[in-house]
Amino acid sequence: MAFMETLLSLISLLSSALLLHAAIEGPKPITLSLIHPFSPHSPFYPGNITDIEKIDILIQGTNIRIHHLFSTMRERNWNGSSEVEDIAATVQYTGLYFVTQVGIGSFSPFPSGKGLPYLLAIDTGSQLTWVQCEGCNPCFPLQQPNFPYNRSQSYKSIPCGDPTCPTPNQNCFQSFCGFMIRSGEDPPASTAGAIIRETLTFPSDFGGTESYHNLFLGCGFQSYHYEFPQPNKIGGILGLGFEGTRTLPFQNQVGKKRFSYCLLNSENTNSQLYIGGAIMEGPQVLSTPLLKGSNEALYYLDLQDISIQNIRLRLQGSFSGGSVIDSGSPVTVLLPNVYAHVRIGFVQYFEQFHIQPYDSGSRPRDLPMLDLCFPNPSGFDRFPTMTFHFRGADLVVHPDGIFALVRNYFCVLLKSGPVTLIGAFQQTQYKFSYDFELGDRRQGEIGALRFVPQDCGSPD
């Protein structure tokens, strides 16, 4: 149950550079391979940092993610138009993103009109795919040139008021179909621009490429308050958030009914994110409904209770507003009253082994930014499981997905916050499938989340 192994499992999902292995229309999915971000080959490689610094990166990433998703504000009458749809997008650099290399546009100097390569952060909390475009003012820092949309042979503009504009009420940016993203606080980051139609191209295992034509793509022209460390390599967002039958999310545009991912357990072994593919089936597969919630781009679950080492905490009715499952948040966040009960549950469990948590007087200076940490007696290995009891399915999180072990202490990787959100650290060693062909629409279900225990470093 080594800390570094579990930490690497998490980061490989959250902070990985995703390189496309294959993009084949039909029954096969788009398959993205994950590369560990702390590898020197990753665009997010932070250099030689300590274990404590790595844990603190997770906590900082979770705080930023919560601000982006749940502190959003709507802009009215910007640029003289009506209210523009507010799309929650995680675009501030934290080193905690999926990215995929995507070819954008068609340019004649390249064979067969190949697109220019850009790294886009994959975000299940965003409904729109967008890239920063040439002519932006102001712009966020980007290591490569901004996308030269006017020189692309496949570029098609969408006029303001055109009935095909996918944003509500045909909102406009100047004379074009427009979008605006506003997220975070103190001050909020924001991007505004035009929605265009373009070609996105992915490399194939077979040496060629696979292209998807005439897709909606946001072209960012005005960006404020981004704090990217240099050199920044993220050019925009690949949106996998939910938006019903509308066509903005990438998986809807390419006609895929599901996507899935699995966290690997080693930095030396690749894992995959799939967009499309067959329904996940088998005797061990569990299923719980995906629900609508207050943030229309996110995926909500009916969390009914939590157990510590099979002891129910009897929290029924405590999860007001629903519970989000999010691959973009490193650490699970619990409402304050829920967190208080879970904290007591862990404290009571370790009391039987005469292990007491650090308080403000005994807390070592070098602990990470976590509330609940304990001294780790030599040879101790009786760590508990934590179970999330969803409607119809129990997600049993093993100790590797709960505790960060560093030298002579361990900490519980949970946070108190304004929402209940199941983060990626608690999703380790499972394969998750978000399936939009399943679910009872009459009951307000938008699909089903299916999951199964899996050694994510092994072949399917």
Side-chain angles (χ1 to χ4, degrees):
M1 200 186 71
F3 161 70
M4 286 305 298
E5 183 172 328
T6 60
L7 176 65
L8 298 180
S9 297
L10 166 68
I11 298 289
S12 58
L13 173 66
L14 293 176
S15 319
S16 300
L18 295 175
L19 301 180
L20 195 68
H21 270 191
I24 305 174
E25 290 200 68
K28 290 190 176 182
I30 298 171
T31 305
L32 305 170
S33 182
L34 305 176
I35 299 174
H36 194 279
F38 289 169
S39 164
H41 303 292
S42 167
F44 299 128
Y45 179 58
N48 187 20
I49 62 176
T50 67
D51 291 348
I52 302 300
E53 290 172 320
K54 291 175 182 178
I55 299 174
D56 285 342
I57 285 175
L58 302 185
I59 304 306
Q60 292 165 356
T62 299
N63 292 338
I64 291 170
R65 180 68 169 175
I66 295 299
H67 285 156
H68 280 330
L69 296 181
F70 299 100
S71 300
T72 55
M73 300 174 60
R74 291 186 178 270
E75 284 287 303
R76 294 184 179 275
N77 301 319
W78 69 282
N79 197 37
S81 78
S82 60
E83 181 180 352
V84 176
E85 181 182 31
D86 188 28
I87 304 170
T90 304
V91 289
Q92 183 172 354
Y93 180 91
T94 66
L96 293 168
Y97 302 131
F98 286 110
V99 297
T100 184
Q101 183 171 291
V102 179
I104 302 179
S106 302
F107 297 88
S108 55
F110 296 98
S112 304
K114 181 180 177 182
L116 297 178
Y118 286 87
L119 290 177
L120 303 183
I122 291 178
D123 187 8
T124 58
S126 176
Q127 300 161 325
L128 175 67
T129 296
W130 63 272
V131 67
Q132 183 162 264
C133 285
E134 188 176 80
C136 57
N137 183 24
C139 314
F140 59 77
L142 182 58
Q143 192 175 33
Q144 69 186 95
N146 296 307
F147 176 60
Y149 67 99
N150 270 328
R151 297 199 293 275
S152 171
Q153 298 170 351
S154 49
Y155 159 69
K156 296 177 184 177
S157 64
I158 304 175
C160 175
D162 190 290
T164 65
C165 177
T167 49
N169 304 317
Q170 290 76 52
N171 295 289
C172 301
F173 179 84
Q174 299 175 359
S175 60
F176 301 100
C177 171
F179 76 96
M180 185 173 185
I181 295 166
R182 180 181 173 94
S183 55
E185 55 187 18
D186 300 326
S190 65
T191 296
I195 294 181
I196 64 176
R197 288 189 180 273
E198 256 300 359
T199 294
L200 300 186
T201 300
F202 301 94
S204 166
D205 272 345
F206 305 104
T209 59
E210 188 73 21
S211 296
Y212 296 87
H213 305 286
N214 215 32
L215 301 182
F216 290 121
L217 176 72
C219 210
F221 289 115
Q222 295 177 354
S223 294
Y224 296 90
H225 304 305
Y226 291 92
E227 298 180 358
F228 295 93
Q230 294 299 313
N232 169 51
K233 298 182 180 181
I234 298 179
I237 293 290
L238 180 66
L240 292 177
F242 177 75
E243 200 176 358
T245 59
R246 296 183 62 206
T247 53
L248 274 179
F250 177 75
Q251 68 270 24
N252 289 10
Q253 294 197 61
V254 297
K256 306 300 184 183
K257 301 299 185 182
R258 62 192 60 86
F259 67 87
S260 60
Y261 56 76
C262 190
L263 289 79
L264 69 156
N265 61 4
S266 170
E267 64 175 309
N268 300 314
T269 306
N270 285 355
S271 189
Q272 284 80 37
L273 168 76
Y274 304 95
I275 303 173
I279 294 176
M280 191 164 72
E281 297 178 311
Q284 291 185 295
V285 173
L286 301 175
S287 181
T288 188
L290 288 169
L291 306 172
K292 292 181 180 179
S294 58
N295 187 321
E296 63 181 5
L298 296 176
Y299 300 101
Y300 287 77
L301 306 174
D302 182 10
L303 178 59
Q304 299 177 339
D305 203 356
I306 294 174
S307 293
I308 305 297
Q309 194 63 23
N310 301 319
I311 298 177
R312 291 257 189 170
L313 301 182
R314 303 188 183 279
L315 298 172
Q316 292 88 341
S318 300
F319 305 99
S320 59
S323 301
V324 174
I325 183 165
D326 181 36
S327 64
S329 178
V331 176
T332 289
V333 179
L334 301 174
L335 292 170
N337 63 318
V338 174
Y339 177 81
H341 284 88
V342 171
R343 189 184 196 281
I344 291 171
F346 279 116
V347 170
Q348 291 178 341
Y349 173 83
F350 287 108
E351 277 181 349
Q352 64 183 310
F353 304 106
H354 307 291
I355 302 174
Q356 297 291 333
Y358 293 117
D359 58 28
S360 57
S362 63
R363 185 179 177 91
R365 290 185 179 181
D366 62 346
L367 289 184
M369 297 183 296
L370 288 165
D371 168 63
L372 186 57
C373 297
F374 300 81
N376 188 18
S378 177
F380 181 77
D381 62 357
R382 301 284 296 277
F383 293 94
T385 60
M386 180 179 181
T387 301
F388 295 99
H389 300 281
F390 299 111
R391 187 199 308 176
D394 291 344
L395 175 63
V396 180
V397 183
H398 295 283
D400 285 354
I402 306 169
F403 301 99
L405 277 69
V406 182
R407 296 193 299 274
N408 58 346
Y409 65 84
F410 60 90
C411 297
V412 179
L413 281 158
L414 299 172
K415 279 181 52 63
S416 176
V419 296
T420 301
L421 181 148
I422 311 300
F425 202 95
Q426 282 69 44
Q427 299 176 41
T428 54
Q429 297 296 18
Y430 280 87
K431 184 174 182 179
F432 289 87
S433 174
Y434 296 67
D435 197 311
F436 308 108
E437 284 190 322
L438 305 176
D440 188 344
R441 302 303 188 271
R442 296 169 299 178
Q443 301 296 321
E445 300 172 4
I446 62 174
L449 178 70
R450 314 198 100 192
F451 56 93
V452 64
Q454 184 167 309
D455 180 357
C456 298
S458 299
D460 292 337

